[in-house]
Amino acid sequence: MKKLENMLVHQLNEDRNVPYPDFENMWERIEQNTTTAFQTQMSSGKQKRGRNWSKLALVSSLSVLLAAAPVYAAVHYNWDTMLRGRSGIQAALPQELGQQLDQSVTKDGVTLKLRTAVVDKKRTVILFTLDVGGRKDNEYWRVGGMTLKGPEGEKRFEKFTYLNWDENNHIYYGYFESEWTPKQDIVNAQVVLDNIQAFSLQTLDLPLDVDSTKTQSFPIGQEGMRSIEVKPFTQDQDMLLLSSGIIFDQPDVKKWAYPEIFVYNNGTLINWQTGSTFALPGVNGEYTAKQYYKAEDVSGVKLTYKLQYMKKEKDIAVPKVFNIQLSKKEMENGTMSTSLNLPLEVAETDFMLEKLVVTPTQIRVIVRSKDKYYSFPYKKYALEIGGKTIESRSKISPDEPALTELLFERPFDLEITKGTPITFVAKYKVTQHGSYNMNNDDKIPLLLTNISQKKQTIIQQLSGYPVNWTYYIQGADLYVETGSEDARFGGINNTHIGLDRERLLGKTVIPTFTGDGSNKNIEVYKNFKGTEATIYNYFYTTDDPEKETRVQIRP
């Protein structure tokens, strides 16, 4: 059951038209949490960097309007479990920086109550409770369509919402977060609620044959899911990959179904390995997953495969609009902002630390890139402040593509003054070679010859690393696998055949993510015709796990 609850953390909201082939940043914006709760998230594909999706919805004219003044008060509810990993919000509550809301709606015996709002720079948090009047063991609840609407027209803002069940008090604690904050000290805003839903866990047997390398399709016909396609891959003889995609007849079901393949050996669950990914939108809107298993765990034994998913049991249409008043005055009074203009690395100006912002709940380091198409080059980053090391909770790309904001939760017991020493530390450098806007003359072509069902491999030298390109026809499709035995080669991002208008884009079977320790990639060209092809990569990366840079921000 614990594994199921962890699975439920990953919720895919309605897909947007993300420009192919930007899979890496698509995944980076899916924040992974370990709270055993439902979580809804928004990611954006507006451009390669600077993402901020929002979801539009209509609110019924029957919504009841209520008002509440911003009252600052300590909160008497135990939010510790809910706010684990949000130490800044934990710190704000006893300082009476939370605004008491105390508004509620009840329908069909279920009550949702807004408790407290915390408004900070680029973050507004709403804490709420959900009383469902008794919860069954196999029952999971979700708050749907909870959004924050500012006074600037009809825009609605949300980042994610999740619930945590309190077994002792038999109530859900809820957390809503938005990157929107008021432009003025005090503004009127609205919290919009669409529905409250309950779900149960369902299981469907899959007669999967992992010894076959063919794509296998199985009908589902349940909960708006039409079918699932699964293709097994064997990698380096020691790893099995199950690449799957689910087609939905009802796209909205993606918000709650959480379909996942589970593998059992005589009733014992076999855990998937590091590098597995879930809930990635496919090129055609399918719901995709990549699950890795050790070959020794799945070889020579009789396995069973099951598709587990959530079925909607209750759908309580509220809808509801809470009129609230938000103030950022108290937070602004405790905020310090410092211009930096410091190079990330000595004698290099490709990335500059531009600003440090310290608020009562968080610390933000803003970095500017010389080239907007290049991502921040380090995968691990921390601040050393007052004898404490604070790791970054997330990386936020704001509206300006050349900027990256690194967000650090402020520890509740850390005092920061203008004289407090602060050092920025970044580790594990990933260097990007090339970019999506690279000139054709700078691209390195590779000719694939005698293309057939027989697997063939070409070795290409990239930045001194031997890279294997293995290609073959399966069915009507051309598969291209890339990777290197040298772990310091980070991997090839995406490939294309031909140039300009004649360019064909490869569809990623295994997405590569920088700094994840794997440089394997598989792409497929559907319905490929011919026996030769000139193939190019958009860009590739090289890894330096030991690389470290330190920037003294203060004094």
Side-chain angles (χ1 to χ4, degrees):
M1 188 60 66
K2 176 70 174 177
K3 180 175 179 63
L4 167 65
E5 292 186 349
N6 286 334
M7 176 188 73
L8 297 183
V9 171
H10 304 278
Q11 172 162 355
L12 178 66
N13 274 316
E14 184 174 357
D15 298 337
R16 300 289 170 175
N17 295 322
V18 179
Y20 180 82
D22 193 12
F23 292 94
E24 178 186 337
N25 279 279
M26 205 164 24
W27 177 251
E28 284 182 351
R29 293 289 294 155
I30 301 179
E31 181 186 27
Q32 297 184 48
N33 293 274
T34 57
T35 307
T36 56
F38 271 108
Q39 173 173 328
T40 63
Q41 297 178 288
M42 279 315 246
S43 302
S44 167
K46 188 175 182 180
Q47 50 183 312
K48 184 179 186 300
R49 304 183 63 200
R51 299 164 179 265
N52 197 12
W53 285 359
S54 60
K55 184 172 65 176
L56 300 178
L58 296 177
V59 181
S60 169
S61 59
L62 298 178
S63 301
V64 179
L65 305 181
L66 299 174
V71 178
Y72 290 91
V75 178
H76 302 292
Y77 302 94
N78 184 5
W79 299 94
D80 290 348
T81 301
M82 169 62 65
L83 297 178
R84 189 173 299 156
R86 297 293 194 275
S87 58
I89 302 299
Q90 281 182 302
L93 298 182
Q95 297 179 62
E96 299 189 357
L97 295 177
Q99 304 170 45
Q100 191 172 358
L101 299 177
D102 287 335
Q103 298 188 51
S104 64
V105 59
T106 299
K107 188 171 183 180
D108 295 346
V110 174
T111 299
L112 183 142
K113 186 171 185 178
L114 303 186
R115 299 289 184 176
T116 307
V118 179
V119 181
D120 200 357
K121 221 174 233 315
K122 293 197 174 181
R123 174 163 70 168
T124 296
V125 170
I126 305 291
L127 302 179
F128 62 94
T129 55
L130 180 67
D131 186 349
V132 298
R135 170 180 174 266
K136 300 177 182 178
D137 289 340
N138 192 34
E139 189 175 63
Y140 303 89
W141 287 78
R142 170 182 178 268
V143 175
M146 191 171 187
T147 53
L148 182 63
K149 189 164 89 170
E152 304 91 359
E154 292 300 312
K155 285 189 175 181
R156 298 173 68 180
F157 307 87
E158 61 183 322
K159 187 177 181 182
F160 55 82
T161 305
Y162 63 82
L163 298 174
N164 189 81
W165 176 250
D166 186 330
E167 185 63 38
N168 293 327
N169 296 311
H170 301 286
I171 198 170
Y172 278 106
Y173 286 89
Y175 181 99
F176 167 87
E177 181 171 325
S178 169
E179 292 180 358
W180 175 84
T181 52
K183 294 181 180 178
Q184 295 81 32
D185 285 345
I186 299 177
V187 301
N188 294 319
Q190 294 178 330
V191 175
V192 182
L193 175 65
D194 288 346
N195 52 49
I196 301 171
Q197 300 165 324
F199 303 86
S200 64
L201 176 66
Q202 303 293 317
T203 301
L204 184 68
D205 291 334
L206 287 180
L208 182 62
D209 179 9
V210 296
D211 293 326
S212 171
T213 59
K214 295 182 179 179
T215 300
Q216 300 166 53
S217 181
F218 307 101
I220 300 177
Q222 302 289 332
E223 202 62 13
M225 296 179 288
R226 182 193 309 168
S227 61
I228 180 172
E229 287 190 350
V230 186
K231 182 173 176 59
F233 291 90
T234 300
Q235 291 195 310
D236 301 330
Q237 305 304 314
D238 61 355
M239 197 71 70
L240 171 71
L241 165 67
L242 297 181
S243 174
S244 62
I246 294 179
I247 302 298
F248 286 80
D249 289 322
Q250 303 173 28
D252 282 352
V253 176
K254 295 178 186 179
K255 299 176 185 178
W256 65 74
Y258 313 109
E260 182 180 338
I261 296 174
F262 285 80
V263 183
Y264 296 88
N265 178 9
N266 292 324
T268 301
L269 177 67
I270 299 177
N271 293 320
W272 37 259
Q273 300 299 303
T274 301
S276 299
T277 60
F278 302 88
L280 281 174
V283 177
N284 298 316
E286 67 271 26
Y287 181 107
T288 70
K290 320 296 175 189
Q291 297 169 237
Y292 290 94
Y293 296 92
K294 290 182 180 179
E296 61 188 45
D297 291 340
V298 296
S299 300
V301 294
K302 184 173 179 57
L303 302 176
T304 56
Y305 305 89
K306 297 180 182 296
L307 179 70
Q308 291 188 352
Y309 62 93
M310 302 306 294
K311 177 183 178 182
K312 184 164 64 175
E313 301 288 355
K314 298 178 183 178
D315 193 348
I316 303 174
V318 180
K320 181 72 174 180
V321 173
F322 297 98
N323 279 353
I324 62 174
Q325 195 173 74
L326 297 175
S327 171
K328 65 176 182 179
K329 187 175 181 179
E330 294 294 327
M331 285 291 185
E332 291 284 354
N333 290 339
T335 296
M336 296 180 290
S337 182
T338 306
S339 297
L340 300 176
N341 196 33
L342 299 171
L344 176 63
E345 297 176 317
V346 177
E348 292 286 347
T349 59
D350 290 342
F351 293 88
M352 301 290 293
L353 272 60
E354 187 172 85
K355 185 183 292 186
L356 171 72
V357 180
V358 180
T359 80
T361 76
Q362 59 191 329
I363 305 164
R364 291 176 183 261
V365 176
I366 301 173
V367 184
R368 181 175 293 276
S369 169
K370 183 184 293 185
D371 188 331
K372 67 180 181 180
Y373 292 100
Y374 282 73
S375 299
F376 186 74
Y378 286 87
K379 293 297 135 183
K380 300 177 181 179
Y381 18 88
L383 291 175
E384 295 178 354
I385 308 176
K388 292 182 178 290
T389 299
I390 310 169
E391 295 184 352
S392 177
R393 178 171 62 85
S394 63
K395 180 173 68 175
I396 300 174
S397 297
D399 293 334
E400 188 174 349
L403 291 184
T404 294
E405 292 190 21
L406 306 179
L407 171 62
F408 302 82
E409 284 289 333
R410 181 168 175 169
F412 61 86
D413 58 349
L414 178 63
E415 181 180 358
I416 303 176
T417 66
K418 291 185 177 180
T420 303
I422 300 177
T423 301
F424 177 76
V425 182
K427 300 179 180 181
Y428 198 129
K429 186 174 183 179
V430 176
T431 302
Q432 179 177 319
H433 303 266
S435 68
Y436 285 115
N437 68 332
M438 182 188 296
N439 294 327
N440 288 341
D441 293 341
D442 297 328
K443 294 188 174 185
I444 303 174
L446 184 68
L447 181 62
L448 309 182
T449 61
N450 300 319
I451 297 173
S452 66
Q453 293 182 347
K454 180 182 178 181
K455 287 190 176 182
Q456 301 177 72
T457 299
I458 299 175
I459 299 178
Q460 182 185 38
Q461 294 292 323
L462 293 175
S463 296
Y465 297 98
V467 180
N468 296 325
W469 292 72
T470 299
Y471 58 97
Y472 53 93
I473 293 289
Q474 191 169 94
D477 306 326
L478 170 64
Y479 284 85
V480 179
E481 303 181 14
T482 58
S484 175
E485 297 300 322
D486 196 320
R488 288 181 175 268
F489 181 77
I492 290 175
N493 178 265
N494 295 109
T495 66
H496 61 93
I497 291 176
L499 297 170
D500 300 326
R501 294 184 178 180
E502 303 300 321
R503 182 180 60 182
L504 301 176
L505 301 178
K507 176 184 176 182
T508 300
V509 177
I510 302 179
T512 56
F513 307 113
T514 57
D516 67 353
S518 173
N519 58 35
K520 310 298 183 186
N521 188 19
I522 300 178
E523 292 193 326
V524 59
Y525 291 85
K526 293 288 188 178
N527 300 312
F528 180 80
K529 308 294 183 183
T531 58
E532 288 190 355
T534 301
I535 196 167
Y536 304 81
N537 68 75
Y538 280 98
F539 67 83
Y540 63 92
T541 60
T542 53
D543 292 1
D544 190 351
E546 291 79 33
K547 179 69 174 179
E548 175 179 310
T549 184
R550 302 175 67 87
V551 183
Q552 189 70 35
I553 295 178
R554 291 179 179 173

